[in-house]
Amino acid sequence: MQKKITLTSDSHRCSTCMLNSLCLPVGMSTVDIARFEEVVQERIRVPKGDTLFNTGDPAQAIYGIRVGSMKTQLEDATGHIQVTGFLLPGEIVGLDGFLEGKQLSHAIALEDTEVCVARVNEIDRVIAHVPALQHQLRRLTSQEIKRSQQLVMALGVLRSEQRLAAFLVNMSQRLSILGYSSTEFILRMSREEIGSYLGLTLETVSRLFSRFAKENLIRIHQREVQLLDLPALRELAGSDYG
Amino acid sequence: MQKKITLTSDSHRCSTCMLNSLCLPVGMSTVDIARFEEVVQERIRVPKGDTLFNTGDPAQAIYGIRVGSMKTQLEDATGHIQVTGFLLPGEIVGLDGFLEGKQLSHAIALEDTEVCVARVNEIDRVIAHVPALQHQLRRLTSQEIKRSQQLVMALGVLRSEQRLAAFLVNMSQRLSILGYSSTEFILRMSREEIGSYLGLTLETVSRLFSRFAKENLIRIHQREVQLLDLPALRELAGSDYG
DNA sequence: CGATTGATTGACTATGTTCAAGTAGAGTGG
DNA sequence: CCACTCTACTTGAACATAGTCAATCAATCG
């Protein structure tokens, strides 16, 4: 589960990456991106099911997902697992540990995944010359806090059906930003993982999917979802959370 | 609810404050504290029930609680409220908004409270000269993320009794750091606020308190609590979360 | 001292969990 | 290519937990 394949070939650069308008370089000038590129000197392939890092690992880098998807999760003393997020291409993993140098969560690949590595000491080296990077890191960290707070809100005040609707709406929105369909996509995570994320059992998730389907809100077959009534789902979720 | 009384008298300084070993200056040298003191040029009195700031307010400062206590809460579009934390003297409010300049949550005084104001632009001015401050802010922000993740964990995987036990153990631990009794204290928040924090109704909180009392884990009368069996409470909470 | 707010307790209900059985797909080896 | 296996998912029935509604009580504040 620790198998990571490091690719030091730097044939791919941020400046030519399709995701550069979504990933860490978002909003940076061409010059800044060129400077930032020096920071990203390697990529790592993480096969499906493998961990990129575990809680307590020294946080030497933050990772931008290039292809694939990951989950982050917490584990308590009694072994209970709480999934805290699902990460898509262009999104950054490892931000929660970055500030103090120790990873707070586990990061595990949901499918064969490739991440770009931005080492902390490299970041520190160029950050003085690239103010946009400083700004970017602040923004992303803030977003990370916001994301966590939204999850607290969902777990604290929403009923199960609302949580699942919020989850679907959120996935839809993020996938559409990536250029994928906002109404038809494949879930890369299991019912159990969705349940863990939403504080529900896998059975409840499964039942809710079936019920949504019966109510013509969605069509679902295994991990293929089709959102038939996005407005209704939004309404259910409470219009935030998405 | 917006009444804030600003005290510009600087008769009280961090260097002579009893909380300086717990508050923002924690771990700073005498010299650094002296430099940092310049940042804190005012204090604000927030009467019980008043807000220090609301979601969306420009985050011009972070606030260290001098006396009293506060709660932070989120509110969604439908008016649902989720309490995200209870803050005690020496703890910092406003960190979640600090990174992006907009407050993410509301901060409301649970009792008559006084906070020290560290303005963001003042912080930016001295931060280059006080490396310990930079480090401190990172540490505190990281702690804020950790706190939020712990709440997610509690809401996601713990049963109601475990959540309440975790809450009591956590309060106990933080109060003992402040030099108060770890086994006898007064809750500054209502049953409803505890419920909102833990994702429960006020009735459930009340019933659980009664049950804990019947099981001789605690003694409780209104807001006065006495923890009779801290180890058992820890055990219930699952030994983390405290 | 009455009024108001906060807390407790009870009865009933709903929501989601648990346990269990069964099904469908994906991958594997003969 | 087909049977076999494993895993993920679905569905049902019984149960438990926590929520809702309502009445009562206690404490605090004008």
Side-chain angles (χ1 to χ4, degrees):
Chain A
M1 287 291 177
Q2 286 286 7
K3 182 178 28 165
K4 301 186 277 189
I5 297 132
T6 302
L7 313 167
T8 42
S9 125
D10 50 4
S11 57
H12 294 92
R13 306 189 153 276
C14 294
S15 44
T16 57
C17 178
M18 291 194 315
L19 293 169
N20 73 11
S21 59
L22 305 165
C23 191
L24 245 164
V26 69
M28 285 190 195
S29 67
T30 317
V31 181
D32 282 349
I33 293 182
R35 283 223 181 93
F36 174 68
E37 252 175 15
E38 297 169 29
V39 169
V40 185
Q41 289 178 352
E42 56 182 310
R43 284 180 290 131
I44 296 178
R45 259 180 43 74
V46 191
K48 175 174 178 170
D50 282 16
T51 46
L52 176 58
F53 55 76
N54 287 300
T55 300
D57 285 359
Q60 297 151 333
I62 57 178
Y63 308 89
I65 297 183
R66 217 181 119 73
V67 290
S69 53
M70 306 199 80
K71 63 171 173 176
T72 52
Q73 61 186 35
L74 305 172
E75 193 174 340
D76 73 6
T78 57
H80 284 119
I81 283 172
Q82 170 71 40
V83 171
T84 55
F86 300 112
L87 288 299
L88 301 179
E91 299 178 338
I92 313 296
V93 203
L95 279 168
D96 57 354
F98 154 73
L99 288 166
E100 263 207 312
K102 288 239 177 254
Q103 297 296 352
L104 298 182
S105 45
H106 304 262
I108 299 160
L110 293 173
E111 57 192 311
D112 289 356
T113 296
E114 212 176 291
V115 297
C116 300
V117 182
R119 296 205 160 271
V120 172
N121 49 17
E122 293 294 313
I123 291 174
D124 286 343
R125 202 169 52 77
V126 306
I127 203 159
H129 315 294
V130 190
L133 181 55
Q134 171 86 40
H135 175 257
Q136 202 51 225
L137 286 172
R138 281 197 175 193
R139 198 188 59 85
L140 287 167
T141 308
S142 175
Q143 204 173 281
E144 193 69 15
I145 295 175
K146 217 180 291 176
R147 223 170 51 83
S148 178
Q149 289 188 348
Q150 259 178 19
L151 185 53
V152 167
M153 193 89 200
L155 293 172
V157 310
L158 298 186
R159 292 211 320 284
S160 62
E161 49 171 23
Q162 300 180 296
R163 289 184 220 174
L164 191 65
F167 165 75
L168 289 173
V169 170
N170 178 269
M171 287 303 291
S172 157
Q173 195 230 322
R174 284 157 62 205
L175 286 165
S176 80
I177 290 173
L178 286 172
Y180 295 110
S181 166
S182 65
T183 56
E184 249 182 289
F185 46 88
I186 291 173
L187 299 169
R188 299 299 175 177
M189 67 296 286
S190 67
R191 301 290 189 264
E192 186 170 12
E193 286 163 334
I194 297 172
S196 169
Y197 179 60
L198 300 175
L200 304 169
T201 59
L202 68 98
E203 291 96 331
T204 300
V205 172
S206 179
R207 272 186 252 273
L208 285 170
F209 274 142
S210 301
R211 212 184 77 201
F212 283 179
K214 200 154 58 185
E215 292 165 349
N216 290 318
L217 295 173
I218 66 172
R219 200 169 297 161
I220 188 153
H221 177 65
Q222 302 283 116
R223 298 192 178 183
E224 297 166 38
V225 217
Q226 196 181 343
L227 309 187
L228 301 175
D229 194 344
L230 202 38
L233 288 169
R234 263 186 229 288
E235 177 68 22
L236 235 187
S239 69
D240 293 342
Y241 314 105
Chain B
M1 288 290 177
Q2 285 286 7
K3 183 178 27 164
K4 300 185 280 187
I5 297 134
T6 302
L7 313 168
T8 41
S9 123
D10 49 4
S11 57
H12 295 91
R13 305 188 155 279
C14 294
S15 44
T16 57
C17 178
M18 291 196 314
L19 293 168
N20 73 11
S21 60
L22 304 165
C23 192
L24 245 163
V26 69
M28 285 191 195
S29 67
T30 318
V31 180
D32 283 349
I33 293 182
R35 284 223 181 96
F36 174 68
E37 252 177 14
E38 296 170 27
V39 169
V40 184
Q41 288 177 352
E42 56 182 310
R43 284 179 290 131
I44 296 178
R45 260 180 43 76
V46 191
K48 176 175 178 170
D50 282 17
T51 46
L52 176 59
F53 55 76
N54 287 301
T55 300
D57 286 358
Q60 298 151 334
I62 57 178
Y63 308 89
I65 297 183
R66 216 182 121 72
V67 289
S69 53
M70 308 200 77
K71 62 171 173 177
T72 52
Q73 60 186 35
L74 305 172
E75 193 175 340
D76 73 6
T78 58
H80 283 120
I81 283 171
Q82 169 72 39
V83 172
T84 55
F86 300 112
L87 287 299
L88 301 180
E91 299 178 338
I92 312 295
V93 203
L95 279 168
D96 57 353
F98 155 75
L99 287 166
E100 264 207 311
K102 288 240 178 256
Q103 297 296 354
L104 298 182
S105 45
H106 304 262
I108 298 160
L110 292 174
E111 57 191 312
D112 289 355
T113 296
E114 214 176 291
V115 298
C116 300
V117 182
R119 297 204 160 273
V120 172
N121 49 17
E122 293 294 314
I123 291 174
D124 286 345
R125 201 170 52 76
V126 305
I127 203 160
H129 314 294
V130 189
L133 181 55
Q134 171 85 40
H135 175 257
Q136 203 51 225
L137 285 172
R138 281 197 175 192
R139 199 187 58 85
L140 287 166
T141 308
S142 175
Q143 203 174 282
E144 192 70 15
I145 295 175
K146 216 179 291 176
R147 223 172 50 85
S148 178
Q149 289 188 348
Q150 258 178 19
L151 184 54
V152 166
M153 193 87 200
L155 293 171
V157 310
L158 298 188
R159 292 212 321 285
S160 62
E161 49 171 22
Q162 299 179 296
R163 288 183 220 174
L164 192 64
F167 165 75
L168 289 172
V169 171
N170 178 270
M171 287 304 292
S172 157
Q173 196 231 320
R174 285 156 63 205
L175 286 164
S176 79
I177 289 174
L178 286 172
Y180 296 109
S181 165
S182 65
T183 54
E184 248 183 290
F185 47 89
I186 292 174
L187 300 169
R188 299 300 176 176
M189 66 296 285
S190 68
R191 301 290 189 264
E192 185 169 14
E193 286 163 333
I194 297 172
S196 168
Y197 179 61
L198 300 176
L200 304 170
T201 60
L202 68 98
E203 292 94 332
T204 299
V205 173
S206 180
R207 271 186 252 272
L208 285 170
F209 274 141
S210 301
R211 214 184 77 201
F212 283 0
K214 200 155 57 184
E215 292 166 348
N216 290 316
L217 294 172
I218 66 170
R219 201 170 294 162
I220 188 155
H221 177 66
Q222 302 284 116
R223 297 190 177 185
E224 297 165 36
V225 218
Q226 197 180 342
L227 308 187
L228 300 175
D229 194 344
L230 201 40
L233 288 169
R234 263 186 228 287
E235 176 67 21
L236 235 188
S239 68
D240 291 343
Y241 313 105

